[in-house]
Amino acid sequence: MASIELRTPKNKPAYYKITASITLNGQTIRKFSRFEFDPKTLKTAKQRVAAATAAAFEFEAKSTGRSRAQPQRCQ
């Protein structure tokens, strides 16, 4: 499960902190990344959250070794 958190430091541009909790061999590992955005491109908060959520999903998939999430098949 990945989560995002907006960080707004003084004198530096805002960014999203991405935290992914990954379970490997029965152990839970936390990995961190950051998503920096251009406020001229992503103008609204809704656009920024959507882009950061997509980045968190990709980060979690890459961290677990899966290139893309596979859909579940119903039988």
Side-chain angles (χ1 to χ4, degrees):
M1 177 82 177
S3 63
I4 58 172
E5 179 184 344
L6 180 63
R7 296 287 177 115
T8 52
K10 295 180 184 178
N11 304 327
K12 291 186 179 180
Y15 65 93
Y16 282 92
K17 178 182 175 184
I18 300 173
T19 306
S21 295
I22 302 157
T23 303
L24 293 172
N25 299 327
Q27 288 186 318
T28 302
I29 301 169
R30 294 182 73 178
K31 292 196 173 194
F32 301 95
S33 183
R34 64 191 286 158
F35 174 72
E36 297 175 347
F37 59 90
D38 182 13
K40 294 178 184 174
T41 305
L42 301 173
K43 294 182 179 180
T44 66
K46 191 174 186 178
Q47 290 175 331
R48 293 178 191 142
V49 169
T53 303
F57 178 75
E58 288 293 321
F59 175 67
E60 184 179 27
K62 287 180 183 178
S63 296
T64 58
R66 294 178 286 158
S67 59
R68 290 190 174 218
Q70 298 296 323
Q72 297 283 336
R73 292 189 179 197
C74 298
Q75 294 189 18

